[in-house]
Amino acid sequence: MKDLIIKVWPEIQGYLPAILPWQNIKEKKQSIFIDFTNCVSVDSSGLALLLIRCIKLIESDKKKRKWKSHDINMNDAFRKVIDLNFFNILNEYNPSEMLFVDKEFKKYHNNVVVSVDEFGIETISIPIHCINFKKHLRRRDGLKDFREWIRDNLDRYATDYNINLNQIMLILNEIAKNTADHTLGDGFIGLDIKTDRSKEIIKIEFAIGDLGVGINNNIKDTLPDNMIKRFAFWDLTQTYLFALKEYATTKTDSNFNKGIGMNIITSGAKNVGLELSVFDAKSRGLLNEIKKLSHKNVRENFFNIGRPVGFYYFGKIKANKVG
């Protein structure tokens, strides 16, 4: 049977991979070929979102689909995909029948990728990090390694640039904590650091997500009985009004989930000038632009994409050099 081809967009950057449509393969049984032929530019954030989509694809319909991709020497952009840990993680979920386990492959994966565009912007892309909650008896124990990973990759920039690293770590930790508490799977993050020729300004971009159903559906699936009837009439705005309220939680029986995570995430983003979007339920929400918890203000800052987008956050922050 002929493979189903998933054609990757030429630019695997930013949040583009989260919003581009793929063919519907739900009722089909063929193997998947992930086609990077036309790929010309790659960063870690975009690749992390592509990875999450691919994992969901190969594990769709409660079965693991077979998948393939190119020969290792296909082109420079494809080698960046390998370097940034894409296939290494994908193989852990469902090993490919291709050559991604040979010695040549192993020397590529998990390497920092540095690229410079035509405007002189240098991008340092950090290999995708899997926040491995499943290996821990207590899922939140996986957060310790994640915090160390953030500090290892950003600490050097916090010395030279006006970056509130502790606040950024707090925001990312709260996002990952929600994955630990509200899903059964792992989390994934891509991280890119961009500087101009002068090195006077730095821009940090990240994409972080998981394999869960997202905030909208999680609330729908776990509300207490006395609220279920009301949810039938809720739109996405009302769902996020609930999620963003301090002490609102679907884990009412939990001793440690107190429902303050989303409030910490949104208020923290506004405090440090972090542009933070959440992609959920066919929409993109600009969390840092939500100034008050009113139906009108939340509705104004959510935008319909027109297709399911999974569940991810995408953030970027700029900082000037110190001194």
mmCIF file of all heavy atoms in Angstrom, residues 254-292:
data_model
loop_
_atom_site.group_PDB
_atom_site.id
_atom_site.type_symbol
_atom_site.label_atom_id
_atom_site.label_comp_id
_atom_site.label_asym_id
_atom_site.label_seq_id
_atom_site.Cartn_x
_atom_site.Cartn_y
_atom_site.Cartn_z
ATOM 1 N N SER A 254 -7.440 17.593 44.892
ATOM 2 C CA SER A 254 -5.978 17.607 44.973
ATOM 3 C C SER A 254 -5.502 18.420 46.170
ATOM 4 O O SER A 254 -6.071 19.462 46.497
ATOM 5 C CB SER A 254 -5.376 18.195 43.691
ATOM 6 O OG SER A 254 -3.991 18.377 43.834
ATOM 7 N N ASN A 255 -4.434 17.927 46.818
ATOM 8 C CA ASN A 255 -3.842 18.657 47.929
ATOM 9 C C ASN A 255 -2.801 19.678 47.474
ATOM 10 O O ASN A 255 -2.336 20.483 48.265
ATOM 11 C CB ASN A 255 -3.189 17.670 48.910
ATOM 12 C CG ASN A 255 -4.214 16.821 49.634
ATOM 13 O OD1 ASN A 255 -5.283 17.305 49.981
ATOM 14 N ND2 ASN A 255 -3.888 15.560 49.870
ATOM 15 N N PHE A 256 -2.391 19.602 46.174
ATOM 16 C CA PHE A 256 -1.320 20.498 45.723
ATOM 17 C C PHE A 256 -1.706 21.334 44.513
ATOM 18 O O PHE A 256 -1.066 22.322 44.217
ATOM 19 C CB PHE A 256 -0.040 19.712 45.414
ATOM 20 C CG PHE A 256 -0.229 18.544 44.491
ATOM 21 C CD1 PHE A 256 -0.220 18.725 43.122
ATOM 22 C CD2 PHE A 256 -0.399 17.270 45.004
ATOM 23 C CE1 PHE A 256 -0.396 17.660 42.274
ATOM 24 C CE2 PHE A 256 -0.569 16.188 44.142
ATOM 25 C CZ PHE A 256 -0.564 16.383 42.788
ATOM 26 N N ASN A 257 -2.758 20.969 43.780
ATOM 27 C CA ASN A 257 -3.190 21.784 42.647
ATOM 28 C C ASN A 257 -4.259 22.760 43.142
ATOM 29 O O ASN A 257 -5.401 22.376 43.364
ATOM 30 C CB ASN A 257 -3.733 20.900 41.521
ATOM 31 C CG ASN A 257 -3.999 21.693 40.261
ATOM 32 O OD1 ASN A 257 -4.875 22.547 40.231
ATOM 33 N ND2 ASN A 257 -3.229 21.433 39.219
ATOM 34 N N LYS A 258 -3.860 24.018 43.317
ATOM 35 C CA LYS A 258 -4.739 25.007 43.941
ATOM 36 C C LYS A 258 -5.398 25.949 42.941
ATOM 37 O O LYS A 258 -6.081 26.897 43.328
ATOM 38 C CB LYS A 258 -3.952 25.827 44.971
ATOM 39 C CG LYS A 258 -3.316 24.970 46.066
ATOM 40 C CD LYS A 258 -4.345 24.157 46.835
ATOM 41 C CE LYS A 258 -3.679 23.358 47.952
ATOM 42 N NZ LYS A 258 -4.633 22.487 48.664
ATOM 43 N N GLY A 259 -5.148 25.736 41.645
ATOM 44 C CA GLY A 259 -5.828 26.550 40.650
ATOM 45 C C GLY A 259 -5.254 27.934 40.466
ATOM 46 O O GLY A 259 -5.967 28.857 40.047
ATOM 47 N N ILE A 260 -3.959 28.123 40.776
ATOM 48 C CA ILE A 260 -3.356 29.448 40.612
ATOM 49 C C ILE A 260 -2.374 29.489 39.446
ATOM 50 O O ILE A 260 -1.820 30.536 39.140
ATOM 51 C CB ILE A 260 -2.643 29.901 41.912
ATOM 52 C CG1 ILE A 260 -1.519 28.916 42.284
ATOM 53 C CG2 ILE A 260 -3.643 30.059 43.047
ATOM 54 C CD1 ILE A 260 -0.701 29.383 43.479
ATOM 55 N N GLY A 261 -2.158 28.346 38.774
ATOM 56 C CA GLY A 261 -1.141 28.266 37.722
ATOM 57 C C GLY A 261 -1.389 29.201 36.561
ATOM 58 O O GLY A 261 -0.488 29.950 36.154
ATOM 59 N N MET A 262 -2.602 29.210 36.013
ATOM 60 C CA MET A 262 -2.888 30.060 34.861
ATOM 61 C C MET A 262 -2.805 31.534 35.231
ATOM 62 O O MET A 262 -2.386 32.369 34.428
ATOM 63 C CB MET A 262 -4.265 29.734 34.283
ATOM 64 C CG MET A 262 -4.320 28.444 33.486
ATOM 65 S SD MET A 262 -3.212 28.454 32.045
ATOM 66 C CE MET A 262 -3.990 29.706 31.018
ATOM 67 N N ASN A 263 -3.195 31.857 36.440
ATOM 68 C CA ASN A 263 -3.087 33.236 36.897
ATOM 69 C C ASN A 263 -1.626 33.659 36.993
ATOM 70 O O ASN A 263 -1.257 34.774 36.611
ATOM 71 C CB ASN A 263 -3.780 33.373 38.257
ATOM 72 C CG ASN A 263 -3.861 34.811 38.726
ATOM 73 O OD1 ASN A 263 -2.979 35.291 39.404
ATOM 74 N ND2 ASN A 263 -4.929 35.496 38.347
ATOM 75 N N ILE A 264 -0.763 32.762 37.491
ATOM 76 C CA ILE A 264 0.672 33.049 37.565
ATOM 77 C C ILE A 264 1.260 33.221 36.168
ATOM 78 O O ILE A 264 2.070 34.120 35.919
ATOM 79 C CB ILE A 264 1.408 31.910 38.315
ATOM 80 C CG1 ILE A 264 1.042 31.927 39.791
ATOM 81 C CG2 ILE A 264 2.926 32.033 38.138
ATOM 82 C CD1 ILE A 264 1.574 30.743 40.572
ATOM 83 N N ILE A 265 0.832 32.375 35.238
ATOM 84 C CA ILE A 265 1.342 32.416 33.861
ATOM 85 C C ILE A 265 0.990 33.750 33.197
ATOM 86 O O ILE A 265 1.853 34.426 32.629
ATOM 87 C CB ILE A 265 0.786 31.240 33.049
ATOM 88 C CG1 ILE A 265 1.384 29.918 33.547
ATOM 89 C CG2 ILE A 265 1.072 31.416 31.552
ATOM 90 C CD1 ILE A 265 0.639 28.686 33.062
ATOM 91 N N THR A 266 -0.272 34.139 33.262
ATOM 92 C CA THR A 266 -0.706 35.356 32.562
ATOM 93 C C THR A 266 -0.177 36.624 33.239
ATOM 94 O O THR A 266 0.287 37.540 32.559
ATOM 95 C CB THR A 266 -2.238 35.420 32.469
ATOM 96 O OG1 THR A 266 -2.807 35.239 33.783
ATOM 97 C CG2 THR A 266 -2.770 34.324 31.564
ATOM 98 N N SER A 267 -0.236 36.689 34.551
ATOM 99 C CA SER A 267 0.258 37.886 35.237
ATOM 100 C C SER A 267 1.769 37.994 35.091
ATOM 101 O O SER A 267 2.312 39.091 34.909
ATOM 102 C CB SER A 267 -0.146 37.875 36.712
ATOM 103 O OG SER A 267 0.395 36.756 37.385
ATOM 104 N N GLY A 268 2.464 36.854 35.145
ATOM 105 C CA GLY A 268 3.912 36.856 34.967
ATOM 106 C C GLY A 268 4.312 37.343 33.588
ATOM 107 O O GLY A 268 5.270 38.108 33.433
ATOM 108 N N ALA A 269 3.589 36.887 32.558
ATOM 109 C CA ALA A 269 3.884 37.315 31.185
ATOM 110 C C ALA A 269 3.739 38.825 31.046
ATOM 111 O O ALA A 269 4.588 39.493 30.434
ATOM 112 C CB ALA A 269 2.960 36.594 30.207
ATOM 113 N N LYS A 270 2.687 39.386 31.629
ATOM 114 C CA LYS A 270 2.489 40.834 31.545
ATOM 115 C C LYS A 270 3.569 41.596 32.311
ATOM 116 O O LYS A 270 4.034 42.646 31.869
ATOM 117 C CB LYS A 270 1.091 41.187 32.086
ATOM 118 C CG LYS A 270 -0.036 40.813 31.127
ATOM 119 C CD LYS A 270 -1.401 41.201 31.652
ATOM 120 C CE LYS A 270 -1.917 40.203 32.654
ATOM 121 N NZ LYS A 270 -3.338 40.423 33.000
ATOM 122 N N ASN A 271 4.000 41.049 33.429
ATOM 123 C CA ASN A 271 4.987 41.743 34.266
ATOM 124 C C ASN A 271 6.352 41.856 33.588
ATOM 125 O O ASN A 271 7.077 42.838 33.809
ATOM 126 C CB ASN A 271 5.147 41.012 35.605
ATOM 127 C CG ASN A 271 3.939 41.188 36.506
ATOM 128 O OD1 ASN A 271 3.142 42.102 36.324
ATOM 129 N ND2 ASN A 271 3.786 40.300 37.479
ATOM 130 N N VAL A 272 6.744 40.856 32.801
ATOM 131 C CA VAL A 272 8.094 40.872 32.204
ATOM 132 C C VAL A 272 8.089 41.211 30.716
ATOM 133 O O VAL A 272 9.126 41.174 30.060
ATOM 134 C CB VAL A 272 8.819 39.520 32.426
ATOM 135 C CG1 VAL A 272 8.993 39.241 33.900
ATOM 136 C CG2 VAL A 272 8.093 38.367 31.735
ATOM 137 N N GLY A 273 6.920 41.535 30.162
ATOM 138 C CA GLY A 273 6.855 41.890 28.742
ATOM 139 C C GLY A 273 6.957 40.698 27.814
ATOM 140 O O GLY A 273 7.444 40.824 26.685
ATOM 141 N N LEU A 274 6.515 39.548 28.288
ATOM 142 C CA LEU A 274 6.528 38.337 27.472
ATOM 143 C C LEU A 274 5.265 38.274 26.609
ATOM 144 O O LEU A 274 4.150 38.333 27.130
ATOM 145 C CB LEU A 274 6.597 37.095 28.373
ATOM 146 C CG LEU A 274 6.436 35.723 27.708
ATOM 147 C CD1 LEU A 274 7.599 35.428 26.771
ATOM 148 C CD2 LEU A 274 6.298 34.628 28.767
ATOM 149 N N GLU A 275 5.442 38.191 25.296
ATOM 150 C CA GLU A 275 4.311 37.983 24.398
ATOM 151 C C GLU A 275 3.990 36.493 24.420
ATOM 152 O O GLU A 275 4.776 35.680 23.931
ATOM 153 C CB GLU A 275 4.655 38.431 22.975
ATOM 154 C CG GLU A 275 4.928 39.912 22.852
ATOM 155 C CD GLU A 275 5.324 40.306 21.436
ATOM 156 O OE1 GLU A 275 4.828 39.671 20.479
ATOM 157 O OE2 GLU A 275 6.146 41.216 21.286
ATOM 158 N N LEU A 276 2.845 36.131 24.976
ATOM 159 C CA LEU A 276 2.527 34.726 25.200
ATOM 160 C C LEU A 276 1.169 34.379 24.595
ATOM 161 O O LEU A 276 0.146 34.962 24.963
ATOM 162 C CB LEU A 276 2.527 34.420 26.695
ATOM 163 C CG LEU A 276 2.319 32.951 27.070
ATOM 164 C CD1 LEU A 276 3.478 32.093 26.566
ATOM 165 C CD2 LEU A 276 2.173 32.799 28.590
ATOM 166 N N SER A 277 1.195 33.436 23.662
ATOM 167 C CA SER A 277 -0.029 32.948 23.025
ATOM 168 C C SER A 277 -0.304 31.521 23.470
ATOM 169 O O SER A 277 0.628 30.744 23.696
ATOM 170 C CB SER A 277 0.109 32.955 21.498
ATOM 171 O OG SER A 277 0.250 34.262 20.992
ATOM 172 N N VAL A 278 -1.579 31.186 23.578
ATOM 173 C CA VAL A 278 -1.988 29.804 23.789
ATOM 174 C C VAL A 278 -2.816 29.380 22.577
ATOM 175 O O VAL A 278 -3.669 30.126 22.093
ATOM 176 C CB VAL A 278 -2.796 29.637 25.096
ATOM 177 C CG1 VAL A 278 -4.078 30.466 25.092
ATOM 178 C CG2 VAL A 278 -3.097 28.158 25.357
ATOM 179 N N PHE A 279 -2.514 28.200 22.047
ATOM 180 C CA PHE A 279 -3.258 27.631 20.925
ATOM 181 C C PHE A 279 -4.104 26.490 21.474
ATOM 182 O O PHE A 279 -3.577 25.539 22.060
ATOM 183 C CB PHE A 279 -2.299 27.125 19.844
ATOM 184 C CG PHE A 279 -1.557 28.224 19.138
ATOM 185 C CD1 PHE A 279 -0.432 28.806 19.700
ATOM 186 C CD2 PHE A 279 -1.998 28.708 17.902
ATOM 187 C CE1 PHE A 279 0.247 29.830 19.060
ATOM 188 C CE2 PHE A 279 -1.327 29.729 17.248
ATOM 189 C CZ PHE A 279 -0.208 30.291 17.825
ATOM 190 N N ASP A 280 -5.411 26.590 21.292
ATOM 191 C CA ASP A 280 -6.317 25.613 21.888
ATOM 192 C C ASP A 280 -7.672 25.720 21.192
ATOM 193 O O ASP A 280 -8.113 26.821 20.843
ATOM 194 C CB ASP A 280 -6.463 25.920 23.386
ATOM 195 C CG ASP A 280 -7.240 24.859 24.159
ATOM 196 O OD1 ASP A 280 -7.479 23.772 23.608
ATOM 197 O OD2 ASP A 280 -7.602 25.126 25.325
ATOM 198 N N ALA A 281 -8.309 24.577 20.967
ATOM 199 C CA ALA A 281 -9.702 24.545 20.505
ATOM 200 C C ALA A 281 -9.945 25.426 19.271
ATOM 201 O O ALA A 281 -10.811 26.298 19.270
ATOM 202 C CB ALA A 281 -10.648 24.962 21.630
ATOM 203 N N LYS A 282 -9.159 25.238 18.234
ATOM 204 C CA LYS A 282 -9.277 25.971 16.967
ATOM 205 C C LYS A 282 -9.006 27.466 17.100
ATOM 206 O O LYS A 282 -9.423 28.259 16.251
ATOM 207 C CB LYS A 282 -10.671 25.774 16.341
ATOM 208 C CG LYS A 282 -11.025 24.344 15.991
ATOM 209 C CD LYS A 282 -12.369 24.266 15.293
ATOM 210 C CE LYS A 282 -12.727 22.836 14.917
ATOM 211 N NZ LYS A 282 -14.010 22.743 14.217
ATOM 212 N N SER A 283 -8.290 27.861 18.139
ATOM 213 C CA SER A 283 -8.100 29.290 18.385
ATOM 214 C C SER A 283 -6.702 29.595 18.897
ATOM 215 O O SER A 283 -6.000 28.725 19.400
ATOM 216 C CB SER A 283 -9.124 29.796 19.416
ATOM 217 O OG SER A 283 -10.445 29.665 18.923
ATOM 218 N N ARG A 284 -6.345 30.870 18.758
ATOM 219 C CA ARG A 284 -5.135 31.412 19.369
ATOM 220 C C ARG A 284 -5.540 32.524 20.324
ATOM 221 O O ARG A 284 -6.253 33.455 19.947
ATOM 222 C CB ARG A 284 -4.191 31.975 18.299
ATOM 223 C CG ARG A 284 -2.945 32.656 18.867
ATOM 224 C CD ARG A 284 -2.192 33.439 17.815
ATOM 225 N NE ARG A 284 -0.998 34.067 18.374
ATOM 226 C CZ ARG A 284 -0.268 34.979 17.741
ATOM 227 N NH1 ARG A 284 -0.624 35.395 16.519
ATOM 228 N NH2 ARG A 284 0.800 35.507 18.317
ATOM 229 N N GLY A 285 -5.081 32.428 21.556
ATOM 230 C CA GLY A 285 -5.378 33.454 22.546
ATOM 231 C C GLY A 285 -4.131 34.216 22.934
ATOM 232 O O GLY A 285 -3.077 33.617 23.165
ATOM 233 N N LEU A 286 -4.217 35.544 22.985
ATOM 234 C CA LEU A 286 -3.088 36.391 23.382
ATOM 235 C C LEU A 286 -3.181 36.631 24.889
ATOM 236 O O LEU A 286 -3.822 37.582 25.342
ATOM 237 C CB LEU A 286 -3.122 37.709 22.620
ATOM 238 C CG LEU A 286 -3.206 37.608 21.088
ATOM 239 C CD1 LEU A 286 -3.213 38.997 20.467
ATOM 240 C CD2 LEU A 286 -2.058 36.773 20.535
ATOM 241 N N LEU A 287 -2.542 35.780 25.668
ATOM 242 C CA LEU A 287 -2.721 35.808 27.117
ATOM 243 C C LEU A 287 -2.186 37.092 27.738
ATOM 244 O O LEU A 287 -2.764 37.614 28.698
ATOM 245 C CB LEU A 287 -2.036 34.596 27.750
ATOM 246 C CG LEU A 287 -2.642 33.232 27.394
ATOM 247 C CD1 LEU A 287 -1.873 32.126 28.092
ATOM 248 C CD2 LEU A 287 -4.118 33.167 27.767
ATOM 249 N N ASN A 288 -1.071 37.625 27.229
ATOM 250 C CA ASN A 288 -0.500 38.836 27.824
ATOM 251 C C ASN A 288 -1.333 40.076 27.533
ATOM 252 O O ASN A 288 -1.150 41.118 28.173
ATOM 253 C CB ASN A 288 0.926 39.056 27.323
ATOM 254 C CG ASN A 288 0.997 39.191 25.808
ATOM 255 O OD1 ASN A 288 0.757 38.213 25.095
ATOM 256 N ND2 ASN A 288 1.309 40.370 25.307
ATOM 257 N N GLU A 289 -2.267 39.978 26.588
ATOM 258 C CA GLU A 289 -3.108 41.123 26.244
ATOM 259 C C GLU A 289 -4.417 41.140 27.036
ATOM 260 O O GLU A 289 -5.202 42.084 26.917
ATOM 261 C CB GLU A 289 -3.420 41.117 24.741
ATOM 262 C CG GLU A 289 -2.216 41.391 23.862
ATOM 263 C CD GLU A 289 -1.652 42.782 24.061
ATOM 264 O OE1 GLU A 289 -2.431 43.708 24.385
ATOM 265 O OE2 GLU A 289 -0.427 42.965 23.920
ATOM 266 N N ILE A 290 -4.671 40.105 27.815
ATOM 267 C CA ILE A 290 -5.892 40.062 28.618
ATOM 268 C C ILE A 290 -5.667 40.908 29.872
ATOM 269 O O ILE A 290 -4.951 40.498 30.788
ATOM 270 C CB ILE A 290 -6.264 38.611 28.984
ATOM 271 C CG1 ILE A 290 -6.564 37.823 27.705
ATOM 272 C CG2 ILE A 290 -7.476 38.588 29.927
ATOM 273 C CD1 ILE A 290 -6.821 36.351 27.929
ATOM 274 N N LYS A 291 -6.232 42.090 29.877
ATOM 275 C CA LYS A 291 -5.970 43.067 30.952
ATOM 276 C C LYS A 291 -6.878 42.855 32.158
ATOM 277 O O LYS A 291 -6.518 43.173 33.283
ATOM 278 C CB LYS A 291 -6.154 44.495 30.424
ATOM 279 C CG LYS A 291 -5.350 44.810 29.161
ATOM 280 C CD LYS A 291 -3.863 44.583 29.352
ATOM 281 C CE LYS A 291 -3.080 44.940 28.096
ATOM 282 N NZ LYS A 291 -1.646 44.597 28.201
ATOM 283 N N LYS A 292 -8.077 42.331 31.915
ATOM 284 C CA LYS A 292 -8.977 42.048 33.026
ATOM 285 C C LYS A 292 -9.861 40.867 32.654
ATOM 286 O O LYS A 292 -10.081 40.572 31.465
ATOM 287 C CB LYS A 292 -9.839 43.270 33.353
ATOM 288 C CG LYS A 292 -10.719 43.763 32.216
ATOM 289 C CD LYS A 292 -11.511 44.984 32.644
ATOM 290 C CE LYS A 292 -12.386 45.499 31.497
ATOM 291 N NZ LYS A 292 -13.191 46.658 31.912
#
